[in-house]
Amino acid sequence: MVEHSSQGTSGAAPGETPGAAGEAAVAAELKAAAAAGAPGAYRAYAELLTGRGQLDEALPWWARAADAGDADASRTLAICHKDRGDSPEAERWYRTAADRDGGCAFGLARLLQESGDTVGAEEWYGRGAALGSVECKTNGAVMLAARGEWDTALERLAEASAEGDGVATRTRQVIEAILADLADWSETLAEAEADGDPEAAYEALRDLLDPDRKGMFDTYPHMVAEAEALYARAAAIGSAKALVDQAILVARDDSRWEEAHALAERAHALGYDGADLGSAGAASVWAGAGYRVGAGAGHRGAPGDETSAQWGPPRCGPGRVTGWGPVAGCAHPFRPA
């Protein structure tokens, strides 16, 4: 850090307060030091300008600090550009330090995840976790859970929780509750199957498509397949209503619309008049309500910023969530990055 000499009051210009004169002198000193390339001066001057709200003037100095190897400066630049809607530039700055800084790795992973590049996101969550980022470990675990790798996800969440990540703790509790519900549904359904009772089979799964569980399906898409399998079992013993609900789940995937339509036709053939074959029918009701796969849990955004949302854990980047879903942030994963 650049050393600042003490400022007296005698240097104040006419009409200028001693405090203002001192601040101006410090700014001039920092600017000169930064221009001369003094160690720590790029960042010090960038921080001063940023603190004054002069972000445009600060950005070139943050860039010099980042070019000199300051990972925090790289992350700051990435966040600024992301906030301004310039994702390519944000990605460029994250990548300048992501291979050596967990915060930048987290920010890059979140950026890639938000753009739909789940393969890249998972890679950088893994690399960030190896660098010591607990947020990366948590978010990577959530991605595993999203595709049904429950055991591995729970193991990694337990590790992150032991390292003090509250998001991991809450997310682990949510997943354990989901798995407990899944086991209960399957067990109750098995009893109905043993009795050959279609109505009891359907009733065993009544809570599965409760609107309150929307976040569960959004955050953990593999639960759609789990639910489909349960409804298929109920349909196999003659439940027409189970066929309709199975169709609703299948219709979440636009590429499977023909399959959903066929299930609705089967329900109609069994005498279920609620399956409107002339339109999207029951499936469109679910889809129209916004029940689509895609959201995620865990730390969102870059470390720093923190917000909450139902059904998800805290995030990092702007925001954190809790419930069936994720959390976010930015300087700390699930804080602004």
Side-chain angles (χ1 to χ4, degrees):
M1 190 68 175
V2 177
E3 295 295 330
H4 307 307
S5 59
S6 59
Q7 301 296 320
T9 62
S10 59
E16 186 177 35
T17 65
E23 291 175 5
V26 168
E29 180 183 345
L30 279 176
K31 183 176 182 179
Y42 294 148
R43 178 171 179 162
Y45 189 49
E47 288 175 339
L48 182 145
L49 292 173
T50 301
R52 289 177 166 182
Q54 298 172 255
L55 186 56
D56 287 335
E57 292 86 342
L59 288 176
W61 297 104
W62 282 117
R64 292 193 186 189
D67 289 340
D70 187 331
D72 285 340
S74 292
R75 187 162 60 251
T76 297
L77 283 162
I79 294 171
C80 288
H81 287 293
K82 184 179 180 182
D83 286 347
R84 292 181 169 191
D86 189 348
S87 293
E89 191 67 1
E91 179 177 344
R92 183 176 79 82
W93 282 111
Y94 276 135
R95 287 188 181 279
T96 62
D99 59 352
R100 56 189 167 83
D101 178 76
C104 282
F106 174 81
L108 176 58
R110 275 300 305 165
L111 195 67
L112 294 173
Q113 188 173 11
E114 290 166 0
S115 72
D117 182 359
T118 56
V119 173
E122 191 160 351
E123 175 191 350
W124 281 103
Y125 280 139
R127 294 177 68 170
L131 289 169
S133 168
V134 69
E135 297 83 7
C136 280
K137 181 176 290 186
T138 294
N139 278 25
V142 169
M143 292 191 76
L144 292 175
R147 62 170 180 259
E149 295 185 33
W150 304 112
D151 292 342
T152 303
L154 287 172
E155 288 176 9
R156 294 187 184 176
L157 287 170
E159 293 173 3
S161 180
E163 292 172 28
D165 187 13
V167 172
T169 300
R170 293 191 291 278
T171 302
R172 186 166 180 250
Q173 292 169 347
V174 166
I175 291 174
E176 289 174 339
I178 289 174
L179 295 180
D181 284 342
L182 195 59
D184 288 344
W185 291 321
S186 183
E187 182 179 346
T188 306
L189 177 58
E191 295 173 1
E193 288 173 315
D195 294 336
D197 188 339
E199 189 61 29
Y202 181 74
E203 287 300 317
L205 307 178
R206 179 171 290 279
D207 290 343
L208 199 47
L209 291 189
D210 187 302
D212 287 344
R213 294 187 182 275
K214 173 186 182 296
M216 176 182 73
F217 290 108
D218 286 344
T219 300
Y220 305 104
H222 185 73
M223 278 301 299
V224 175
E226 300 273 13
E228 270 189 58
L230 291 174
Y231 279 113
R233 286 169 55 187
I237 60 171
S239 173
K241 288 184 285 187
L243 280 169
V244 173
D245 283 353
Q246 185 183 358
I248 288 173
L249 289 163
V250 169
R252 288 167 58 95
D253 183 344
D254 292 339
S255 69
R256 300 176 66 192
W257 181 252
E258 291 300 324
E259 183 181 349
H261 187 74
L263 290 168
E265 285 184 325
R266 285 176 56 195
H268 189 69
L270 289 175
Y272 183 70
D273 294 333
D276 177 5
L277 303 181
S279 65
S284 68
V285 175
W286 182 267
Y291 287 62
R292 310 298 273 176
V293 178
H299 296 280
R300 301 182 182 174
D305 177 21
E306 307 213 351
T307 62
S308 293
Q310 186 181 25
W311 301 132
R315 312 171 191 176
C316 280
R320 286 201 173 213
V321 191
T322 54
W324 292 115
V327 184
C330 271
H332 161 96
F334 293 89
R335 303 171 221 170

